[in-house]
Amino acid sequence: QVQLVESGGGLVQPGGSLRLSCAASGSDFRINAMGWYRQAPGKERELVAVITNGGGTNYADSMKDRFTISRDSAKNTVYLQMNSLKPEDKAVYHCNTEVLLYNKARSYVYWGQGTQVIVSS
């Protein structure tokens, strides 16, 4: 079992920045990839960015010029630096990870509870 704990959300003015963090904890696992998704009110959950164990990244086209995903492998933590925030970035941001559980010899996907981001003046 793996737990994800997100932090860093909050209220920010348009044009401002926020940095989200997500730490994975548990035992006997290896992270294959970690990422961020978001869900705005009345909309489906959408990909924001993903980073693989090898460091490869993938971004949603609408966010790749403003958001940066990074990781600290030693801490099993992924970050999302969000700059030039817009009101339409308001959403609950969920951390996601695909891990290999050694005792199960297969991969699983876990989700965090989410952290609210509000962009408003």
Side-chain angles (χ1 to χ4, degrees):
Q1 191 77 2
V2 173
Q3 293 78 42
L4 298 175
V5 178
E6 300 129 327
S7 61
L11 172 64
V12 64
Q13 292 186 342
S17 299
L18 281 176
R19 188 192 194 208
L20 307 183
S21 300
C22 173
S25 62
S27 61
D28 298 324
F29 69 96
R30 184 194 72 203
I31 291 175
N32 292 332
M34 295 188 80
W36 292 94
Y37 290 72
R38 71 183 187 183
Q39 187 164 18
K43 295 187 177 180
E44 294 186 355
R45 191 172 294 187
E46 63 175 345
L47 169 73
V48 176
V50 175
I51 186 165
T52 68
N53 187 41
T57 58
N58 185 38
Y59 292 88
D61 286 342
S62 62
M63 292 169 255
K64 63 183 179 181
D65 293 332
R66 299 182 294 122
F67 294 1
T68 303
I69 191 169
S70 61
R71 64 191 171 98
D72 184 333
S73 298
K75 296 181 180 179
N76 288 331
T77 298
V78 66
Y79 306 95
L80 184 69
Q81 178 66 42
M82 304 186 294
N83 299 325
S84 302
L85 283 162
K86 305 175 182 179
E88 52 263 43
D89 293 318
K90 173 185 175 180
V92 177
Y93 285 71
H94 294 271
C95 180
N96 160 285
T97 185
E98 180 190 297
V99 304
L100 171 66
L101 295 184
Y102 292 120
N103 62 355
K104 301 290 186 181
R106 56 160 284 187
S107 296
Y108 291 81
V109 175
Y110 294 93
W111 290 91
Q113 291 295 312
T115 184
Q116 177 77 56
V117 172
I118 300 173
V119 185
S120 175
S121 55

PDB file of all heavy atoms in Angstrom, residues 32-44:
ATOM      1  N   ASN A  32       7.164   4.148 -10.609  1.00  0.00           N
ATOM      2  CA  ASN A  32       7.358   4.148 -12.061  1.00  0.00           C
ATOM      3  C   ASN A  32       7.129   5.536 -12.649  1.00  0.00           C
ATOM      4  O   ASN A  32       7.817   5.954 -13.571  1.00  0.00           O
ATOM      5  CB  ASN A  32       6.412   3.157 -12.727  1.00  0.00           C
ATOM      6  CG  ASN A  32       6.753   1.719 -12.392  1.00  0.00           C
ATOM      7  OD1 ASN A  32       7.909   1.386 -12.118  1.00  0.00           O
ATOM      8  ND2 ASN A  32       5.747   0.852 -12.381  1.00  0.00           N
ATOM      9  N   ALA A  33       6.133   6.223 -12.105  1.00  0.00           N
ATOM     10  CA  ALA A  33       5.817   7.564 -12.586  1.00  0.00           C
ATOM     11  C   ALA A  33       4.977   8.274 -11.533  1.00  0.00           C
ATOM     12  O   ALA A  33       4.280   7.637 -10.748  1.00  0.00           O
ATOM     13  CB  ALA A  33       5.049   7.511 -13.904  1.00  0.00           C
ATOM     14  N   MET A  34       5.070   9.589 -11.529  1.00  0.00           N
ATOM     15  CA  MET A  34       4.215  10.411 -10.675  1.00  0.00           C
ATOM     16  C   MET A  34       3.688  11.554 -11.511  1.00  0.00           C
ATOM     17  O   MET A  34       4.359  12.016 -12.442  1.00  0.00           O
ATOM     18  CB  MET A  34       4.965  10.957  -9.464  1.00  0.00           C
ATOM     19  CG  MET A  34       5.426   9.883  -8.494  1.00  0.00           C
ATOM     20  SD  MET A  34       6.116  10.555  -6.961  1.00  0.00           S
ATOM     21  CE  MET A  34       4.606  10.950  -6.049  1.00  0.00           C
ATOM     22  N   GLY A  35       2.509  12.019 -11.154  1.00  0.00           N
ATOM     23  CA  GLY A  35       1.947  13.084 -11.955  1.00  0.00           C
ATOM     24  C   GLY A  35       0.887  13.867 -11.220  1.00  0.00           C
ATOM     25  O   GLY A  35       0.558  13.579 -10.072  1.00  0.00           O
ATOM     26  N   TRP A  36       0.401  14.860 -11.921  1.00  0.00           N
ATOM     27  CA  TRP A  36      -0.668  15.715 -11.403  1.00  0.00           C
ATOM     28  C   TRP A  36      -1.816  15.749 -12.404  1.00  0.00           C
ATOM     29  O   TRP A  36      -1.596  15.858 -13.616  1.00  0.00           O
ATOM     30  CB  TRP A  36      -0.158  17.135 -11.186  1.00  0.00           C
ATOM     31  CG  TRP A  36       0.835  17.246 -10.069  1.00  0.00           C
ATOM     32  CD1 TRP A  36       2.199  17.204 -10.158  1.00  0.00           C
ATOM     33  CD2 TRP A  36       0.531  17.410  -8.686  1.00  0.00           C
ATOM     34  NE1 TRP A  36       2.764  17.332  -8.924  1.00  0.00           N
ATOM     35  CE2 TRP A  36       1.757  17.468  -7.996  1.00  0.00           C
ATOM     36  CE3 TRP A  36      -0.656  17.529  -7.962  1.00  0.00           C
ATOM     37  CZ2 TRP A  36       1.827  17.627  -6.611  1.00  0.00           C
ATOM     38  CZ3 TRP A  36      -0.585  17.682  -6.585  1.00  0.00           C
ATOM     39  CH2 TRP A  36       0.647  17.729  -5.927  1.00  0.00           C
ATOM     40  N   TYR A  37      -3.007  15.659 -11.870  1.00  0.00           N
ATOM     41  CA  TYR A  37      -4.226  15.837 -12.617  1.00  0.00           C
ATOM     42  C   TYR A  37      -5.036  16.900 -11.898  1.00  0.00           C
ATOM     43  O   TYR A  37      -4.806  17.186 -10.727  1.00  0.00           O
ATOM     44  CB  TYR A  37      -5.025  14.526 -12.673  1.00  0.00           C
ATOM     45  CG  TYR A  37      -4.383  13.456 -13.532  1.00  0.00           C
ATOM     46  CD1 TYR A  37      -3.233  12.799 -13.117  1.00  0.00           C
ATOM     47  CD2 TYR A  37      -4.937  13.099 -14.763  1.00  0.00           C
ATOM     48  CE1 TYR A  37      -2.641  11.818 -13.907  1.00  0.00           C
ATOM     49  CE2 TYR A  37      -4.358  12.117 -15.556  1.00  0.00           C
ATOM     50  CZ  TYR A  37      -3.213  11.490 -15.116  1.00  0.00           C
ATOM     51  OH  TYR A  37      -2.627  10.524 -15.907  1.00  0.00           O
ATOM     52  N   ARG A  38      -5.979  17.477 -12.608  1.00  0.00           N
ATOM     53  CA  ARG A  38      -6.841  18.453 -11.954  1.00  0.00           C
ATOM     54  C   ARG A  38      -8.277  18.266 -12.399  1.00  0.00           C
ATOM     55  O   ARG A  38      -8.543  17.755 -13.492  1.00  0.00           O
ATOM     56  CB  ARG A  38      -6.376  19.870 -12.249  1.00  0.00           C
ATOM     57  CG  ARG A  38      -6.608  20.345 -13.668  1.00  0.00           C
ATOM     58  CD  ARG A  38      -6.035  21.748 -13.864  1.00  0.00           C
ATOM     59  NE  ARG A  38      -6.385  22.300 -15.177  1.00  0.00           N
ATOM     60  CZ  ARG A  38      -5.962  23.484 -15.613  1.00  0.00           C
ATOM     61  NH1 ARG A  38      -5.159  24.239 -14.853  1.00  0.00           N
ATOM     62  NH2 ARG A  38      -6.328  23.906 -16.804  1.00  0.00           N
ATOM     63  N   GLN A  39      -9.182  18.683 -11.511  1.00  0.00           N
ATOM     64  CA  GLN A  39     -10.595  18.603 -11.812  1.00  0.00           C
ATOM     65  C   GLN A  39     -11.269  19.892 -11.390  1.00  0.00           C
ATOM     66  O   GLN A  39     -11.293  20.222 -10.193  1.00  0.00           O
ATOM     67  CB  GLN A  39     -11.248  17.411 -11.114  1.00  0.00           C
ATOM     68  CG  GLN A  39     -12.684  17.186 -11.537  1.00  0.00           C
ATOM     69  CD  GLN A  39     -13.201  15.814 -11.158  1.00  0.00           C
ATOM     70  OE1 GLN A  39     -12.635  15.133 -10.298  1.00  0.00           O
ATOM     71  NE2 GLN A  39     -14.268  15.380 -11.803  1.00  0.00           N
ATOM     72  N   ALA A  40     -11.756  20.612 -12.369  1.00  0.00           N
ATOM     73  CA  ALA A  40     -12.476  21.854 -12.124  1.00  0.00           C
ATOM     74  C   ALA A  40     -13.947  21.534 -11.897  1.00  0.00           C
ATOM     75  O   ALA A  40     -14.439  20.489 -12.348  1.00  0.00           O
ATOM     76  CB  ALA A  40     -12.304  22.797 -13.302  1.00  0.00           C
ATOM     77  N   PRO A  41     -14.675  22.423 -11.222  1.00  0.00           N
ATOM     78  CA  PRO A  41     -16.092  22.176 -10.971  1.00  0.00           C
ATOM     79  C   PRO A  41     -16.859  21.917 -12.271  1.00  0.00           C
ATOM     80  O   PRO A  41     -16.754  22.685 -13.226  1.00  0.00           O
ATOM     81  CB  PRO A  41     -16.560  23.472 -10.306  1.00  0.00           C
ATOM     82  CG  PRO A  41     -15.318  24.026  -9.676  1.00  0.00           C
ATOM     83  CD  PRO A  41     -14.206  23.661 -10.607  1.00  0.00           C
ATOM     84  N   GLY A  42     -17.593  20.828 -12.298  1.00  0.00           N
ATOM     85  CA  GLY A  42     -18.420  20.507 -13.453  1.00  0.00           C
ATOM     86  C   GLY A  42     -17.667  19.943 -14.633  1.00  0.00           C
ATOM     87  O   GLY A  42     -18.248  19.746 -15.705  1.00  0.00           O
ATOM     88  N   LYS A  43     -16.385  19.677 -14.459  1.00  0.00           N
ATOM     89  CA  LYS A  43     -15.581  19.164 -15.564  1.00  0.00           C
ATOM     90  C   LYS A  43     -14.935  17.841 -15.183  1.00  0.00           C
ATOM     91  O   LYS A  43     -14.845  17.490 -14.016  1.00  0.00           O
ATOM     92  CB  LYS A  43     -14.510  20.175 -15.960  1.00  0.00           C
ATOM     93  CG  LYS A  43     -15.052  21.475 -16.526  1.00  0.00           C
ATOM     94  CD  LYS A  43     -13.938  22.345 -17.050  1.00  0.00           C
ATOM     95  CE  LYS A  43     -14.480  23.613 -17.686  1.00  0.00           C
ATOM     96  NZ  LYS A  43     -13.392  24.481 -18.215  1.00  0.00           N
ATOM     97  N   GLU A  44     -14.482  17.125 -16.198  1.00  0.00           N
ATOM     98  CA  GLU A  44     -13.800  15.865 -15.960  1.00  0.00           C
ATOM     99  C   GLU A  44     -12.361  16.107 -15.514  1.00  0.00           C
ATOM    100  O   GLU A  44     -11.777  17.156 -15.793  1.00  0.00           O
ATOM    101  CB  GLU A  44     -13.812  15.017 -17.238  1.00  0.00           C
ATOM    102  CG  GLU A  44     -15.196  14.565 -17.662  1.00  0.00           C
ATOM    103  CD  GLU A  44     -15.142  13.622 -18.848  1.00  0.00           C
ATOM    104  OE1 GLU A  44     -14.053  13.403 -19.400  1.00  0.00           O
ATOM    105  OE2 GLU A  44     -16.212  13.094 -19.210  1.00  0.00           O
TER     106      GLU A  44
END
